[in-house]
Amino acid sequence: MTFSDWIAEPVNWVFAAIGLAVLFSGFRVVTSKNVVHAALYLVGALAGTAGLFLLMSAEFVAWVLVLVYIGAVIVLFLFGIMITRAPTGLDESLSSDQTAMPALLSAAVFVVMTWASIDAFGTELLATVGEATSTQVIGESLLGRFVIPFEVVSFVLLAALIGGITIARRDLTPVEEEERMSV
Amino acid sequence: MSTYFESYLTVGAFAALGAVLVLVMLGVASVLRPTKPTAEKQLTYECGVDPVGDGWSQTYVRYYVFGLLFVIFDVEAVFIFPWAIQVDELGVFALVAMLFFIVTVIEGLVYAVKKGVLRWE
């Protein structure tokens, strides 16, 4: 496919626009001096990624990304920032002088990911582009073929919940424990 | 262009229209209204009371546990959606599997209540 073929397709313009927006947001996440702004740029990057998933007809994945990552994980990030860093805001110590090694590492990850994707799929076109993978199909395989992994997920969630509570909770003194029980 | 992209084009058109609507309303308002800022008017609006302290202050650590619980149950909801849109077709086995799933995660909520982390002392 030549570049003129590629640019003739309006879907590709949308892809390019969203891709550039994601790149910009991702760049600002690491360069932003205000940690809250970095978290909000991450929202932009994730929203753009959801848009890219929509373009690839992965409707369910896209909306899960919006629901779980933008809706919940970012909230947790912001709480984490606001709880631990006060006053939040401009923080010069966020920017580090070490840029060469991280840049090299990112480039290496990019090369490996690109190579792995091209190696696995090559020029093969996904048959489902422009045709939504229905959530019914996901439901059927989730509660059919993948029912055991699905149940395992519930235990993973339970472990995460209990682990999170154990870490986040302040240990009560025996006296306080007694008081709480008597209420 | 497939119907899938067309339907999202409708979504995009509505989003753009919504943005334009807001911009036009704010734009017209900013042209029409007189602008006389005073120090009093420029204060952050906080329920009509003068704001106290810095906006970048520390949040109460208690909120964190609620955020954590929200993430877990959000992920649970994600798994419920594909099941919920076709409960009839999937049948009793899926219902039992889903109940098992929900009960397992709810146990975590029971644990949280027992540990008293949901109590706001």
Side-chain angles (χ1 to χ4, degrees):
Chain A
M1 198 198 313
T2 62
F3 182 71
S4 53
D5 285 343
W6 188 84
I7 207 79
E9 193 74 45
V11 173
N12 289 339
W13 306 349
V14 180
F15 173 77
I18 296 176
L20 287 176
V22 171
L23 270 180
F24 172 75
S25 308
F27 185 70
R28 290 296 291 153
V29 170
V30 284
T31 54
S32 200
K33 288 238 161 60
N34 187 332
V35 70
V36 177
H37 291 176
L40 293 178
Y41 274 114
L42 192 58
V43 172
L46 288 169
T49 313
L52 292 181
F53 272 122
L54 277 182
L55 282 180
M56 289 189 286
S57 318
E59 235 180 344
F60 187 71
V61 182
W63 293 115
V64 163
L65 204 68
V66 172
L67 193 74
V68 175
Y69 278 84
I70 300 179
V73 172
I74 290 290
V75 171
L76 208 61
F77 274 14
L78 286 175
F79 272 145
I81 292 164
M82 290 195 288
I83 287 163
T84 51
R85 304 182 74 91
T88 40
L90 221 57
D91 190 351
E92 290 296 328
S93 67
L94 277 180
S95 63
S96 149
D97 294 333
Q98 296 177 320
T99 48
M101 278 310 278
L104 201 69
L105 188 68
S106 322
V109 170
F110 176 73
V111 167
V112 168
M113 293 286 278
T114 312
W115 179 76
S117 333
I118 292 176
D119 189 53
F121 300 106
T123 52
E124 185 186 334
L125 287 175
L126 292 176
T128 52
V129 166
E131 194 181 317
T133 312
S134 72
T135 313
Q136 274 97 331
V137 176
I138 296 171
E140 265 159 33
S141 50
L142 193 64
L143 288 145
R145 200 175 142 213
F146 296 108
V147 71
I148 299 297
F150 167 70
E151 298 300 351
V152 170
V153 165
S154 70
F155 287 105
V156 173
L157 285 176
L158 183 66
L161 189 56
I162 292 176
I165 288 170
T166 312
I167 293 168
R169 180 175 169 269
R170 183 178 58 96
D171 277 325
L172 297 176
T173 58
V175 179
E176 283 176 314
E177 194 78 52
E178 201 122 304
E179 276 173 8
R180 204 175 65 73
M181 285 306 179
S182 61
V183 173
Chain B
M1 193 184 274
S2 65
T3 50
Y4 170 75
F5 285 135
E6 269 169 22
S7 59
Y8 271 101
L9 207 60
T10 316
V11 175
F14 266 88
L17 209 67
V20 167
L21 191 72
V22 171
L23 285 178
V24 165
M25 288 206 292
L26 288 177
V28 168
S30 75
V31 169
L32 291 180
R33 69 172 175 239
T35 315
K36 286 174 194 139
T38 62
E40 197 88 309
K41 282 187 198 166
Q42 298 291 40
L43 276 180
T44 308
Y45 184 78
E46 204 173 88
C47 306
V49 188
D50 282 355
V52 180
D54 188 18
W56 296 106
S57 60
Q58 197 158 8
T59 314
Y60 201 34
V61 72
R62 287 256 155 173
Y63 288 115
Y64 193 77
V65 174
F66 291 91
L68 200 73
L69 285 171
F70 175 57
V71 172
I72 300 292
F73 285 99
D74 214 25
V75 175
E76 190 191 12
V78 161
F79 282 97
I80 293 177
F81 283 126
W83 166 76
I85 54 168
Q86 48 171 4
V87 179
D88 282 348
E89 289 86 345
L90 285 171
V92 180
F93 173 73
L95 181 70
V96 173
M98 185 50 79
L99 280 178
F100 184 77
F101 180 83
I102 293 174
V103 167
T104 310
V105 184
I106 291 279
E107 275 175 55
L109 195 62
V110 174
Y111 175 81
V113 172
K114 285 268 186 206
K115 282 283 175 185
V117 291
L118 296 184
R119 199 192 300 267
W120 198 276
E121 282 140 23

